[in-house]
Amino acid sequence: MARTDKTFKLSYNESLKLCREGKLPSTIQGLALTLGVSRTTARKVLAHLEKNKIIARSDDGVHFLQPVKGSDFFSPVLTKPTREVAETRFFNWLLDEKIARGARIAENHVAAQINVPIATLHQIFVSFSRFGFLSKEQHRNWTYHGFTRELADTLFDFRYYCEMSALDKLVELPDDSEFWQHLDAAQQLHRSYLDAPEESSQNVAEMDAAFHRLLLRYSSSILLLVNEAALSLIFYFRFHESWREHNTERRLIALSDHLEIIDALRARECGAARAVMRRHLEHAWHSVLERFQEKPQVS
């Protein structure tokens, strides 16, 4: 996604929140200052709001034509942070180039290949090196170690704790939390794919990762904020590497699980959400074990 396109989508989502609160500035200059964007972006946002019949503008100011719905927001899949975009490009590069464990990779070469700033890539490499995924060599060169069974065990234990804990907090969020609007958008995206998976252009791996990041982002977990790199590695291994092969049945089951979790969260039924999440994560872990050519242990 181009930087300008992402800026517009993020700004549009923010403008919808202003509309919901009745605080949308009526002028281009006012909106630009409020959102901290250029006048060009602000003008585009206002035009999009009018096109979608969210507002109408006149000499009297802004008139709100209809309540803002969750489906009006751009999906989090389309508004990923810059670092997350860079991480995804790096992970896909590892897979596309079939980089073997023990290979040496240079920051400047990889940055040029995937079109991300070297400074951003360096930060990513440093954060991943804390888990043994990479190790630093001389002159901004690195050795790629990839995943070991020990690293996978540690990361998935961490993931299980974070995601199950997140559900407890999410069901307590107030009705006016923006989380519910993003959840509605995710629900709509999932249903559109499940209605016609063979016709959809959606990347299911990214849809799945975006859904789980959405749950974790709004759970206000200190562990999550400190260990964002750990979660990135989890999503890479599970959703980029394990789902690299075409497996329609697995994808349909995973997305159906998400819809069950959404329904349970909407009903404020934490127990039901946790039961589905537990099953969902167990399936994910079994697929990880398959990558290590080990049979899952049944407790």
Side-chain angles (χ1 to χ4, degrees):
M1 182 190 303
R3 181 182 178 88
T4 54
D5 188 48
K6 187 178 71 174
T7 298
F8 162 70
K9 288 181 168 64
L10 287 169
S11 299
Y12 184 74
N13 280 357
E14 289 300 314
S15 75
L16 288 174
K17 298 175 191 176
L18 294 172
C19 287
R20 185 183 62 198
E21 299 168 358
K23 298 179 180 178
L24 185 79
S26 60
T27 66
I28 293 172
Q29 179 66 21
L31 184 60
L33 290 172
T34 300
L35 297 178
V37 297
S38 67
R39 290 172 57 88
T40 299
T41 298
R43 183 180 296 108
K44 185 178 178 181
V45 166
L46 286 173
H48 206 63
L49 289 171
E50 290 184 290
K51 177 183 176 182
N52 291 336
K53 296 182 171 34
I54 303 294
I55 66 167
R57 287 191 296 160
S58 68
D59 293 339
D60 297 331
V62 172
H63 304 279
F64 300 100
L65 302 180
Q66 58 179 311
V68 174
K69 306 182 298 295
S71 58
D72 294 324
F73 288 80
F74 284 108
S75 165
V77 172
L78 303 176
T79 56
K80 294 193 297 185
T82 301
R83 173 172 170 133
E84 191 176 326
V85 171
E87 288 174 351
T88 299
R89 290 181 183 178
F90 170 58
F91 292 146
N92 284 332
W93 177 81
L94 289 173
L95 297 170
D96 292 338
E97 299 297 321
K98 296 181 173 60
I99 305 300
R101 291 182 184 176
R104 298 189 70 185
I105 56 180
E107 285 182 18
N108 59 350
H109 173 73
V110 178
Q113 290 291 308
I114 64 177
N115 192 28
V116 302
I118 292 180
T120 300
L121 191 67
H122 178 74
Q123 292 173 358
I124 291 170
F125 281 12
V126 169
S127 62
F128 289 167
S129 69
R130 299 185 184 119
F131 301 95
F133 191 73
L134 298 162
S135 61
K136 183 76 167 62
E137 307 296 338
Q138 293 182 336
H139 308 300
R140 294 204 172 221
N141 290 319
W142 298 77
T143 297
Y144 168 62
H145 300 294
F147 274 89
T148 62
R149 171 61 192 274
E150 181 181 7
L151 175 57
D153 282 337
T154 299
L155 292 178
F156 270 78
D157 284 345
F158 173 69
R159 178 190 180 185
Y160 184 88
Y161 173 81
C162 285
E163 299 217 35
M164 296 298 279
S165 298
L167 299 178
D168 297 333
K169 299 176 182 178
L170 293 173
V171 296
E172 299 296 331
L173 290 177
D175 291 338
D176 61 355
S177 169
E178 65 182 38
F179 166 74
W180 301 112
Q181 295 167 349
H182 288 307
L183 195 66
D184 288 345
Q187 183 182 53
Q188 184 179 47
L189 194 65
H190 279 55
R191 285 176 174 167
S192 67
Y193 178 89
L194 291 173
D195 286 343
E198 65 284 348
E199 299 175 9
S200 179
S201 61
Q202 296 294 335
N203 184 316
V204 179
E206 292 193 7
M207 285 174 59
D208 202 313
F211 173 75
H212 287 277
R213 284 185 182 275
L214 175 63
L215 301 185
L216 293 165
R217 187 175 297 128
Y218 283 90
S219 67
S220 301
S221 171
I222 297 300
L223 280 175
L224 168 63
L225 297 175
V226 173
N227 295 283
E228 179 69 20
L231 292 171
S232 297
L233 290 173
I234 290 168
F235 293 136
Y236 158 64
F237 189 83
R238 166 73 178 114
F239 302 117
H240 291 272
E241 183 172 300
S242 296
W243 276 9
R244 196 67 165 184
E245 299 85 2
H246 183 70
N247 190 327
T248 301
E249 181 180 5
R250 179 186 297 172
R251 295 174 183 182
L252 296 181
I253 290 174
L255 298 189
S256 295
D257 285 348
H258 290 178
L259 289 176
E260 286 191 55
I261 293 170
I262 290 173
D263 288 341
L265 289 173
R266 271 293 182 191
R268 310 287 183 158
E269 295 178 356
C270 189
R274 287 175 66 91
V276 180
M277 181 65 80
R278 178 184 177 89
R279 182 186 73 209
H280 184 67
L281 295 179
E282 285 176 349
H283 288 165
W285 179 235
H286 288 183
S287 70
V288 168
L289 294 182
E290 290 173 5
R291 303 298 295 183
F292 289 105
Q293 298 182 339
E294 294 181 22
K295 295 181 179 180
Q297 299 296 317
V298 180
S299 56

